[in-house]
Short mmCIF file of all heavy atoms in Angstrom, two decimals:
data_model
loop_
_atom_site.label_atom_id
_atom_site.label_comp_id
_atom_site.label_asym_id
_atom_site.label_seq_id
_atom_site.Cartn_x
_atom_site.Cartn_y
_atom_site.Cartn_z
N GLN A 1 0.62 -4.90 14.74
CA GLN A 1 1.72 -5.51 15.51
C GLN A 1 2.54 -6.45 14.65
O GLN A 1 3.75 -6.56 14.84
CB GLN A 1 1.16 -6.26 16.72
CG GLN A 1 0.48 -5.36 17.70
CD GLN A 1 -0.26 -6.12 18.78
OE1 GLN A 1 -0.23 -7.34 18.86
NE2 GLN A 1 -0.97 -5.39 19.62
N THR A 2 1.88 -7.15 13.73
CA THR A 2 2.57 -8.07 12.83
C THR A 2 2.13 -7.78 11.39
O THR A 2 1.22 -8.45 10.87
CB THR A 2 2.28 -9.55 13.18
OG1 THR A 2 0.86 -9.72 13.22
CG2 THR A 2 2.88 -9.94 14.50
N PRO A 3 2.72 -6.76 10.77
CA PRO A 3 2.32 -6.38 9.42
C PRO A 3 2.59 -7.50 8.42
O PRO A 3 3.55 -8.26 8.56
CB PRO A 3 3.21 -5.17 9.10
CG PRO A 3 3.84 -4.76 10.37
CD PRO A 3 3.80 -5.93 11.29
N PRO A 4 1.74 -7.59 7.40
CA PRO A 4 1.97 -8.59 6.37
C PRO A 4 3.26 -8.29 5.61
O PRO A 4 3.62 -7.13 5.42
CB PRO A 4 0.76 -8.47 5.44
CG PRO A 4 -0.07 -7.36 5.94
CD PRO A 4 0.53 -6.81 7.18
N GLU A 5 3.93 -9.36 5.19
CA GLU A 5 5.15 -9.20 4.41
C GLU A 5 4.78 -9.02 2.94
O GLU A 5 3.62 -9.13 2.56
CB GLU A 5 6.05 -10.41 4.63
CG GLU A 5 6.55 -10.46 6.07
CD GLU A 5 7.58 -11.53 6.30
OE1 GLU A 5 8.12 -12.08 5.32
OE2 GLU A 5 7.84 -11.82 7.47
N LEU A 6 5.76 -8.77 2.12
CA LEU A 6 5.56 -8.41 0.72
C LEU A 6 4.70 -9.41 -0.04
O LEU A 6 3.70 -9.04 -0.66
CB LEU A 6 6.91 -8.23 0.02
CG LEU A 6 6.85 -7.80 -1.43
CD1 LEU A 6 6.16 -6.46 -1.57
CD2 LEU A 6 8.25 -7.76 -2.02
N GLU A 7 5.05 -10.68 0.00
CA GLU A 7 4.28 -11.68 -0.76
C GLU A 7 2.86 -11.84 -0.22
O GLU A 7 1.93 -12.08 -0.98
CB GLU A 7 5.02 -13.02 -0.80
CG GLU A 7 6.20 -13.01 -1.75
CD GLU A 7 5.87 -12.46 -3.14
OE1 GLU A 7 4.87 -12.91 -3.76
OE2 GLU A 7 6.59 -11.57 -3.61
N GLU A 8 2.71 -11.71 1.08
CA GLU A 8 1.38 -11.78 1.68
C GLU A 8 0.52 -10.61 1.20
O GLU A 8 -0.66 -10.78 0.85
CB GLU A 8 1.50 -11.78 3.21
CG GLU A 8 0.21 -12.03 3.93
CD GLU A 8 0.39 -12.10 5.44
OE1 GLU A 8 1.53 -11.94 5.95
OE2 GLU A 8 -0.62 -12.29 6.12
N LEU A 9 1.10 -9.42 1.15
CA LEU A 9 0.38 -8.25 0.64
C LEU A 9 -0.03 -8.45 -0.82
O LEU A 9 -1.16 -8.16 -1.20
CB LEU A 9 1.23 -6.99 0.76
CG LEU A 9 1.25 -6.29 2.10
CD1 LEU A 9 2.29 -5.17 2.10
CD2 LEU A 9 -0.11 -5.76 2.46
N ARG A 10 0.90 -8.95 -1.62
CA ARG A 10 0.59 -9.21 -3.04
C ARG A 10 -0.57 -10.20 -3.17
O ARG A 10 -1.45 -10.03 -4.00
CB ARG A 10 1.82 -9.73 -3.77
CG ARG A 10 2.90 -8.70 -3.99
CD ARG A 10 4.03 -9.30 -4.83
NE ARG A 10 5.23 -8.52 -4.79
CZ ARG A 10 5.47 -7.47 -5.56
NH1 ARG A 10 4.58 -7.06 -6.41
NH2 ARG A 10 6.62 -6.82 -5.47
N HIS A 11 -0.55 -11.23 -2.33
CA HIS A 11 -1.60 -12.25 -2.36
C HIS A 11 -2.95 -11.64 -1.94
O HIS A 11 -3.98 -11.91 -2.57
CB HIS A 11 -1.21 -13.42 -1.45
CG HIS A 11 -2.13 -14.58 -1.53
ND1 HIS A 11 -2.30 -15.33 -2.66
CD2 HIS A 11 -2.97 -15.11 -0.61
CE1 HIS A 11 -3.19 -16.27 -2.44
NE2 HIS A 11 -3.62 -16.16 -1.19
N ILE A 12 -2.96 -10.83 -0.92
CA ILE A 12 -4.18 -10.18 -0.46
C ILE A 12 -4.75 -9.30 -1.58
O ILE A 12 -5.96 -9.34 -1.86
CB ILE A 12 -3.92 -9.33 0.82
CG1 ILE A 12 -3.64 -10.25 2.01
CG2 ILE A 12 -5.09 -8.39 1.11
CD1 ILE A 12 -3.10 -9.53 3.24
N ILE A 13 -3.91 -8.53 -2.22
CA ILE A 13 -4.34 -7.64 -3.30
C ILE A 13 -4.95 -8.45 -4.44
O ILE A 13 -5.99 -8.08 -5.00
CB ILE A 13 -3.16 -6.76 -3.77
CG1 ILE A 13 -2.83 -5.73 -2.68
CG2 ILE A 13 -3.47 -6.08 -5.10
CD1 ILE A 13 -1.51 -5.04 -2.85
N ARG A 14 -4.30 -9.58 -4.81
CA ARG A 14 -4.85 -10.44 -5.87
C ARG A 14 -6.22 -10.98 -5.48
O ARG A 14 -7.14 -10.99 -6.28
CB ARG A 14 -3.90 -11.59 -6.17
CG ARG A 14 -2.75 -11.22 -7.08
CD ARG A 14 -2.01 -12.44 -7.61
NE ARG A 14 -1.49 -13.31 -6.59
CZ ARG A 14 -0.31 -13.15 -5.98
NH1 ARG A 14 0.47 -12.14 -6.30
NH2 ARG A 14 0.10 -14.01 -5.07
N MET A 15 -6.36 -11.45 -4.23
CA MET A 15 -7.65 -12.00 -3.78
C MET A 15 -8.73 -10.92 -3.76
O MET A 15 -9.89 -11.21 -4.06
CB MET A 15 -7.52 -12.64 -2.39
CG MET A 15 -6.79 -13.97 -2.43
SD MET A 15 -6.87 -14.82 -0.84
CE MET A 15 -5.88 -13.77 0.19
N LEU A 16 -8.35 -9.71 -3.40
CA LEU A 16 -9.32 -8.61 -3.36
C LEU A 16 -9.68 -8.15 -4.78
O LEU A 16 -10.72 -7.54 -4.98
CB LEU A 16 -8.77 -7.43 -2.56
CG LEU A 16 -8.71 -7.60 -1.05
CD1 LEU A 16 -7.89 -6.48 -0.41
CD2 LEU A 16 -10.12 -7.66 -0.45
N GLY A 17 -8.78 -8.41 -5.72
CA GLY A 17 -9.02 -7.97 -7.10
C GLY A 17 -8.92 -6.47 -7.26
O GLY A 17 -9.66 -5.86 -8.03
N ILE A 18 -8.00 -5.87 -6.52
CA ILE A 18 -7.83 -4.41 -6.56
C ILE A 18 -6.39 -4.07 -6.91
O ILE A 18 -5.50 -4.92 -6.92
CB ILE A 18 -8.22 -3.75 -5.22
CG1 ILE A 18 -7.30 -4.22 -4.08
CG2 ILE A 18 -9.68 -4.00 -4.89
CD1 ILE A 18 -7.51 -3.50 -2.75
N ASP A 19 -6.17 -2.81 -7.16
CA ASP A 19 -4.84 -2.25 -7.37
C ASP A 19 -4.23 -1.99 -5.99
O ASP A 19 -4.97 -1.67 -5.05
CB ASP A 19 -5.03 -0.95 -8.15
CG ASP A 19 -3.73 -0.26 -8.46
OD1 ASP A 19 -3.23 0.45 -7.57
OD2 ASP A 19 -3.24 -0.43 -9.58
N ALA A 20 -2.93 -2.07 -5.88
CA ALA A 20 -2.26 -1.84 -4.59
C ALA A 20 -2.63 -0.48 -3.99
O ALA A 20 -2.79 -0.36 -2.78
CB ALA A 20 -0.74 -1.95 -4.76
N HIS A 21 -2.82 0.53 -4.84
CA HIS A 21 -3.17 1.87 -4.36
C HIS A 21 -4.51 1.86 -3.60
O HIS A 21 -4.71 2.64 -2.69
CB HIS A 21 -3.26 2.86 -5.52
CG HIS A 21 -1.95 3.08 -6.20
ND1 HIS A 21 -1.48 2.26 -7.19
CD2 HIS A 21 -1.00 4.02 -6.00
CE1 HIS A 21 -0.29 2.68 -7.59
NE2 HIS A 21 0.02 3.75 -6.88
N GLU A 22 -5.42 0.97 -4.01
CA GLU A 22 -6.74 0.91 -3.39
C GLU A 22 -6.69 0.32 -1.99
O GLU A 22 -7.65 0.43 -1.24
CB GLU A 22 -7.69 0.11 -4.26
CG GLU A 22 -7.98 0.77 -5.60
CD GLU A 22 -8.81 -0.11 -6.49
OE1 GLU A 22 -10.03 -0.19 -6.26
OE2 GLU A 22 -8.23 -0.75 -7.40
N LEU A 23 -5.60 -0.35 -1.65
CA LEU A 23 -5.46 -0.93 -0.31
C LEU A 23 -4.98 0.12 0.70
O LEU A 23 -4.99 -0.11 1.90
CB LEU A 23 -4.48 -2.11 -0.36
CG LEU A 23 -4.41 -2.99 0.87
CD1 LEU A 23 -5.78 -3.60 1.20
CD2 LEU A 23 -3.38 -4.09 0.67
N MET A 24 -4.60 1.28 0.20
CA MET A 24 -4.01 2.30 1.06
C MET A 24 -5.06 3.30 1.54
O MET A 24 -5.86 3.81 0.77
CB MET A 24 -2.91 3.02 0.28
CG MET A 24 -2.12 3.99 1.11
SD MET A 24 -0.66 4.58 0.24
CE MET A 24 0.45 3.23 0.54
N ARG A 25 -5.02 3.57 2.84
CA ARG A 25 -5.88 4.59 3.47
C ARG A 25 -5.21 5.96 3.28
O ARG A 25 -4.15 6.21 3.83
CB ARG A 25 -6.06 4.30 4.95
CG ARG A 25 -6.82 3.01 5.21
CD ARG A 25 -6.86 2.68 6.69
NE ARG A 25 -7.36 3.75 7.49
CZ ARG A 25 -8.65 3.98 7.77
NH1 ARG A 25 -9.56 3.17 7.29
NH2 ARG A 25 -9.01 4.99 8.53
N LYS A 26 -5.86 6.80 2.53
CA LYS A 26 -5.25 8.08 2.17
C LYS A 26 -5.45 9.17 3.22
O LYS A 26 -4.82 10.22 3.15
CB LYS A 26 -5.79 8.52 0.81
CG LYS A 26 -5.33 7.57 -0.28
CD LYS A 26 -6.12 7.73 -1.56
CE LYS A 26 -5.66 6.75 -2.62
NZ LYS A 26 -5.83 5.35 -2.28
N GLY A 27 -6.29 8.93 4.21
CA GLY A 27 -6.54 9.93 5.24
C GLY A 27 -5.61 9.86 6.43
O GLY A 27 -5.73 10.66 7.36
N GLU A 28 -4.69 8.92 6.42
CA GLU A 28 -3.78 8.76 7.56
C GLU A 28 -2.62 9.75 7.50
O GLU A 28 -2.18 10.14 6.41
CB GLU A 28 -3.21 7.33 7.59
CG GLU A 28 -4.24 6.25 7.80
CD GLU A 28 -4.86 6.26 9.20
OE1 GLU A 28 -4.22 6.78 10.14
OE2 GLU A 28 -5.97 5.75 9.34
N ASP A 29 -2.12 10.14 8.65
CA ASP A 29 -0.98 11.07 8.72
C ASP A 29 0.23 10.53 7.97
O ASP A 29 0.94 11.31 7.32
CB ASP A 29 -0.59 11.35 10.18
CG ASP A 29 -1.63 12.17 10.92
OD1 ASP A 29 -2.46 12.83 10.25
OD2 ASP A 29 -1.62 12.15 12.16
N ALA A 30 0.46 9.24 8.04
CA ALA A 30 1.62 8.64 7.36
C ALA A 30 1.54 8.85 5.85
O ALA A 30 2.56 9.04 5.20
CB ALA A 30 1.71 7.14 7.67
N PHE A 31 0.33 8.84 5.30
CA PHE A 31 0.16 9.07 3.87
C PHE A 31 0.65 10.47 3.51
O PHE A 31 1.39 10.66 2.54
CB PHE A 31 -1.31 8.89 3.48
CG PHE A 31 -1.57 8.96 2.02
CD1 PHE A 31 -1.41 7.83 1.22
CD2 PHE A 31 -1.99 10.13 1.42
CE1 PHE A 31 -1.65 7.88 -0.15
CE2 PHE A 31 -2.24 10.20 0.06
CZ PHE A 31 -2.07 9.06 -0.73
N ALA A 32 0.27 11.45 4.32
CA ALA A 32 0.71 12.83 4.08
C ALA A 32 2.22 12.97 4.28
O ALA A 32 2.89 13.65 3.50
CB ALA A 32 -0.04 13.79 4.99
N ARG A 33 2.75 12.32 5.32
CA ARG A 33 4.20 12.39 5.58
C ARG A 33 4.99 11.84 4.40
O ARG A 33 6.08 12.30 4.11
CB ARG A 33 4.56 11.64 6.85
CG ARG A 33 4.31 12.41 8.12
CD ARG A 33 5.02 11.81 9.32
NE ARG A 33 4.77 10.40 9.52
CZ ARG A 33 3.75 9.88 10.20
NH1 ARG A 33 2.86 10.67 10.75
NH2 ARG A 33 3.62 8.58 10.33
N LEU A 34 4.46 10.81 3.75
CA LEU A 34 5.14 10.20 2.60
C LEU A 34 4.99 11.06 1.35
O LEU A 34 5.61 10.77 0.33
CB LEU A 34 4.60 8.81 2.34
CG LEU A 34 4.92 7.77 3.42
CD1 LEU A 34 4.08 6.51 3.23
CD2 LEU A 34 6.40 7.42 3.38
N ALA A 35 4.14 12.10 1.41
CA ALA A 35 3.88 13.01 0.29
C ALA A 35 3.29 12.28 -0.90
O ALA A 35 3.47 12.69 -2.04
CB ALA A 35 5.14 13.79 -0.08
N PHE A 36 2.57 11.19 -0.65
CA PHE A 36 1.95 10.44 -1.74
C PHE A 36 0.82 11.24 -2.39
O PHE A 36 0.43 10.95 -3.50
CB PHE A 36 1.43 9.09 -1.26
CG PHE A 36 2.50 8.05 -1.04
CD1 PHE A 36 2.18 6.86 -0.44
CD2 PHE A 36 3.80 8.24 -1.45
CE1 PHE A 36 3.14 5.87 -0.24
CE2 PHE A 36 4.78 7.28 -1.26
CZ PHE A 36 4.44 6.09 -0.65
N ASP A 37 0.29 12.22 -1.66
CA ASP A 37 -0.76 13.05 -2.24
C ASP A 37 -0.20 14.01 -3.29
O ASP A 37 -0.90 14.46 -4.18
CB ASP A 37 -1.51 13.82 -1.15
CG ASP A 37 -0.60 14.63 -0.24
OD1 ASP A 37 0.61 14.31 -0.15
OD2 ASP A 37 -1.09 15.58 0.38
N LYS A 38 1.10 14.28 -3.20
CA LYS A 38 1.75 15.18 -4.16
C LYS A 38 2.40 14.42 -5.30
O LYS A 38 2.40 14.87 -6.44
CB LYS A 38 2.79 16.03 -3.44
CG LYS A 38 2.20 16.97 -2.41
CD LYS A 38 3.28 17.73 -1.68
CE LYS A 38 2.71 18.69 -0.68
NZ LYS A 38 2.19 18.09 0.51
N GLN A 39 2.96 13.27 -5.02
CA GLN A 39 3.65 12.45 -6.01
C GLN A 39 3.11 11.04 -5.90
O GLN A 39 3.49 10.29 -5.01
CB GLN A 39 5.17 12.46 -5.74
CG GLN A 39 5.98 11.60 -6.67
CD GLN A 39 6.02 12.15 -8.08
OE1 GLN A 39 5.86 13.35 -8.29
NE2 GLN A 39 6.22 11.30 -9.05
N PRO A 40 2.18 10.64 -6.79
CA PRO A 40 1.61 9.30 -6.70
C PRO A 40 2.70 8.22 -6.78
O PRO A 40 3.57 8.27 -7.65
CB PRO A 40 0.67 9.22 -7.90
CG PRO A 40 0.40 10.64 -8.27
CD PRO A 40 1.63 11.42 -7.89
N PRO A 41 2.65 7.28 -5.83
CA PRO A 41 3.69 6.25 -5.79
C PRO A 41 3.42 5.13 -6.79
O PRO A 41 2.29 4.90 -7.21
CB PRO A 41 3.56 5.71 -4.36
CG PRO A 41 2.10 5.89 -4.06
CD PRO A 41 1.70 7.16 -4.75
N GLY A 42 4.47 4.41 -7.13
CA GLY A 42 4.33 3.19 -7.93
C GLY A 42 3.90 2.05 -7.01
O GLY A 42 3.90 2.19 -5.78
N GLU A 43 3.56 0.91 -7.59
CA GLU A 43 3.08 -0.23 -6.80
C GLU A 43 4.11 -0.69 -5.77
O GLU A 43 3.75 -0.96 -4.62
CB GLU A 43 2.69 -1.40 -7.70
CG GLU A 43 2.13 -2.56 -6.89
CD GLU A 43 1.52 -3.64 -7.74
OE1 GLU A 43 0.95 -3.33 -8.78
OE2 GLU A 43 1.61 -4.80 -7.33
N ASP A 44 5.36 -0.78 -6.17
CA ASP A 44 6.39 -1.22 -5.21
C ASP A 44 6.52 -0.26 -4.04
O ASP A 44 6.69 -0.68 -2.90
CB ASP A 44 7.74 -1.39 -5.90
CG ASP A 44 7.77 -2.61 -6.82
OD1 ASP A 44 6.95 -3.53 -6.63
OD2 ASP A 44 8.62 -2.64 -7.73
N GLU A 45 6.40 1.03 -4.31
CA GLU A 45 6.44 2.03 -3.24
C GLU A 45 5.25 1.87 -2.30
O GLU A 45 5.40 2.00 -1.08
CB GLU A 45 6.40 3.45 -3.82
CG GLU A 45 7.74 4.06 -4.11
CD GLU A 45 7.56 5.51 -4.53
OE1 GLU A 45 6.95 5.75 -5.58
OE2 GLU A 45 8.01 6.39 -3.77
N VAL A 46 4.08 1.60 -2.86
CA VAL A 46 2.88 1.39 -2.05
C VAL A 46 3.09 0.19 -1.13
O VAL A 46 2.81 0.26 0.07
CB VAL A 46 1.63 1.18 -2.93
CG1 VAL A 46 0.46 0.69 -2.10
CG2 VAL A 46 1.27 2.46 -3.66
N LEU A 47 3.57 -0.90 -1.68
CA LEU A 47 3.77 -2.12 -0.88
C LEU A 47 4.79 -1.88 0.23
O LEU A 47 4.59 -2.32 1.36
CB LEU A 47 4.18 -3.28 -1.78
CG LEU A 47 3.12 -3.71 -2.79
CD1 LEU A 47 3.69 -4.73 -3.77
CD2 LEU A 47 1.88 -4.26 -2.10
N GLN A 48 5.88 -1.19 -0.09
CA GLN A 48 6.88 -0.88 0.93
C GLN A 48 6.29 0.00 2.03
O GLN A 48 6.55 -0.21 3.21
CB GLN A 48 8.11 -0.20 0.29
CG GLN A 48 8.93 -1.10 -0.59
CD GLN A 48 9.47 -2.32 0.13
OE1 GLN A 48 9.92 -2.24 1.28
NE2 GLN A 48 9.41 -3.47 -0.52
#
């Protein structure tokens, strides 16, 4: 309902100590719709 904004996401990723790609659930329909399985996104694309 209230998604984190860009800087909040960046902060969460830093605290988790992971790459932005690791924060993404790859089994969701939205992931397939974005075609990220065919063309791996850059970090900014992941955050967006």
Side-chain angles (χ1 to χ4, degrees):
Q1 296 171 4
T2 54
E5 294 187 14
L6 182 61
E7 285 311 309
E8 188 177 1
L9 277 173
R10 289 185 195 275
H11 187 65
I12 290 168
I13 289 166
R14 279 193 303 275
M15 286 188 292
L16 287 168
I18 63 174
D19 181 277
H21 295 85
E22 295 174 78
L23 191 59
M24 187 170 278
R25 294 174 54 87
K26 294 164 181 62
E28 296 292 337
D29 290 341
F31 187 84
R33 279 196 308 273
L34 292 167
F36 284 171
D37 53 338
K38 295 177 179 74
Q39 177 70 25
E43 183 170 326
D44 288 339
E45 269 186 295
V46 168
L47 295 172
Q48 291 301 319

